[in-house]
Amino acid sequence: MITYESMKMFLVTFAFESLVILIAVAFIYNIYSAVRGIVRMVKRHRDKQKALDKIIEQA
């Protein structure tokens, strides 16, 4: 039989677990965004270096 106390406990547990999962997803997404930004920065640096090498080669 479902009682008020068991239902309340279930809702509190469910809310807490949902909050933990949302925080974990946000944390993982932030790490993913940071890594993506670093990769983009490295690619840009590499492209600039190639362009600079080409200019030096032509001179």
Side-chain angles (χ1 to χ4, degrees):
M1 184 174 162
I2 298 175
T3 62
Y4 174 74
E5 286 298 318
S6 65
M7 188 59 118
K8 192 170 97 172
M9 194 64 187
F10 170 76
L11 288 175
V12 168
T13 306
F14 181 77
F16 180 72
E17 288 179 357
S18 299
L19 190 64
V20 168
I21 290 170
L22 284 174
I23 290 171
V25 168
F27 187 70
I28 291 168
Y29 181 74
N30 282 337
I31 291 173
Y32 169 73
S33 292
V35 169
R36 199 174 57 184
I38 290 169
V39 168
R40 194 177 296 143
M41 206 165 47
V42 168
K43 278 184 182 176
R44 243 185 265 141
H45 177 72
R46 195 178 299 145
D47 290 345
K48 284 181 183 177
Q49 196 64 40
K50 281 182 185 175
L52 191 62
D53 289 345
K54 222 179 240 184
I55 291 170
I56 291 171
E57 202 175 278
Q58 287 176 354

